[in-house]
Amino acid sequence: MDQPTPEPAIIINGVTQQFGPRVIFQDVSCTIARGEVFVILGGSGCGKSTLLRQIVGLLPPSAGSITVLGHDMYAGRGDVLTRIGVMFQAGALFGSMTLLENVMLPLQVYTDLPEAACARVAQVKLSLVGLGDFGRLMPAEISGGMAKRAAIARALALDPPLLFLDEPSAGLDPITSAGIDQLILDLRRDLGTTFVLVTHELASILAIADRCLMLDRTAKGVIAEGDPRVLRDESTHPTVRAFFRREAEQLPAEPAKAAAA
């Protein structure tokens, strides 16, 4: 007997974003399954972070619709914001608060748990990302990789089924970056979390992504979708091939200049 198809975590339908006359992308559509590690990728300026902001409810699209966990993000979204976690690109930890206090904050704002219970839950989340012994430290006292992990712990505070990560490996050395990749895979395995990442880190994409969506600034939209390993090996699109093979795109030759009179 065939297994029922699980309800999608996210449905993006015909989404467009423009600022005045400037179109960032148009008619973007895709479906992200529950439990998937899905990556939004592309070159600089293609709209990766813009699309992420739309999905998490921070930027209404110029056209189209976005459904997250069964709720329209811009019409009657209910309590969906408490069911998603977001790790911003630079971590966005509060510098005047310890790591433990940073992770406690969502619990203090969105739950009625007493202070001691918030602290216990936050400690568990820090331990989950390998920072159980560092809760008393301030953000200025830790490394970039530790800050990324602390930000993920804070995003996990309310046990969301859906987690968004904006450039989780940016600025990290290869070993630390690989550790973040493994953490994502471990959390997906242990908690069943759905991950949506924005990144241009090729090694991370190939290591963790089930599927990806590739945006392009020139095309102003989607130029590829699917398993990144298949796209790397089989795509015939010149921009997709150049991205996955780390090759410079061939620029059109300049017309020969007319000889001086």
Side-chain angles (χ1 to χ4, degrees), residues 14-251:
V15 165
T16 293
Q17 185 60 53
Q18 65 183 87
F19 300 104
R22 179 172 172 243
V23 176
I24 307 301
F25 50 72
Q26 55 192 357
D27 200 24
V28 173
S29 297
C30 71
T31 298
I32 301 172
R34 291 180 184 261
E36 196 170 27
V37 177
F38 189 89
V39 174
I40 302 169
L41 56 87
S44 298
C46 68
K48 301 186 297 295
S49 292
T50 297
L51 180 58
L52 187 72
R53 290 173 62 203
Q54 290 178 331
I55 299 172
V56 302
L58 294 176
L59 179 65
S62 304
S65 64
I66 299 172
T67 302
V68 176
L69 300 176
H71 296 272
D72 188 316
M73 284 302 288
Y74 296 95
R77 62 191 180 193
D79 64 348
V80 70
L81 291 182
T82 64
R83 301 179 63 207
I84 67 174
V86 182
M87 190 215 82
F88 297 99
Q89 185 172 146
L93 297 174
F94 292 100
S96 61
M97 303 168 68
T98 66
L99 301 190
L100 186 69
E101 290 168 340
N102 267 278
V103 181
M104 287 174 63
L105 187 60
L107 296 160
Q108 293 167 325
V109 172
Y110 291 107
T111 76
D112 295 323
L113 290 174
E115 197 78 0
C118 289
R120 288 195 296 272
V121 173
Q123 182 62 42
V124 169
K125 302 306 180 184
L126 284 171
S127 297
L128 197 61
V129 300
L131 296 177
D133 295 330
F134 300 93
R136 294 184 179 180
L137 295 184
M138 307 297 287
E141 298 176 310
I142 61 176
S143 68
M146 293 171 71
K148 299 271 190 179
R149 286 175 175 267
I152 292 174
R154 185 176 61 187
L156 287 168
L158 298 174
D159 294 320
L162 181 54
L163 204 60
F164 297 90
L165 309 180
D166 191 0
E167 298 285 5
S169 301
L172 302 180
D173 65 84
I175 295 175
T176 303
S177 180
I180 296 291
D181 292 343
Q182 189 59 53
L183 173 62
I184 292 168
L185 293 176
D186 290 345
L187 292 173
R188 193 265 295 269
R189 180 196 64 211
D190 297 338
L191 303 179
T193 308
T194 303
F195 283 91
V196 179
L197 289 77
V198 165
T199 185
H200 60 266
E201 300 286 343
L202 186 56
S204 293
I205 294 165
L206 296 174
I208 66 175
D210 296 309
R211 288 191 306 126
C212 66
L213 181 81
M214 188 169 186
L215 300 175
D216 181 68
R217 181 174 58 185
T218 301
K220 299 187 185 304
V222 178
I223 58 171
E225 181 181 353
D227 185 324
R229 291 154 290 270
V230 174
L231 294 177
R232 175 195 60 190
D233 296 337
E234 300 181 8
S235 177
T236 58
H237 192 291
T239 302
V240 177
R241 289 173 60 88
F243 183 93
F244 281 106
R245 300 184 185 193
R246 296 190 75 250
E247 298 173 346
E249 282 194 87
Q250 297 298 315
L251 300 176

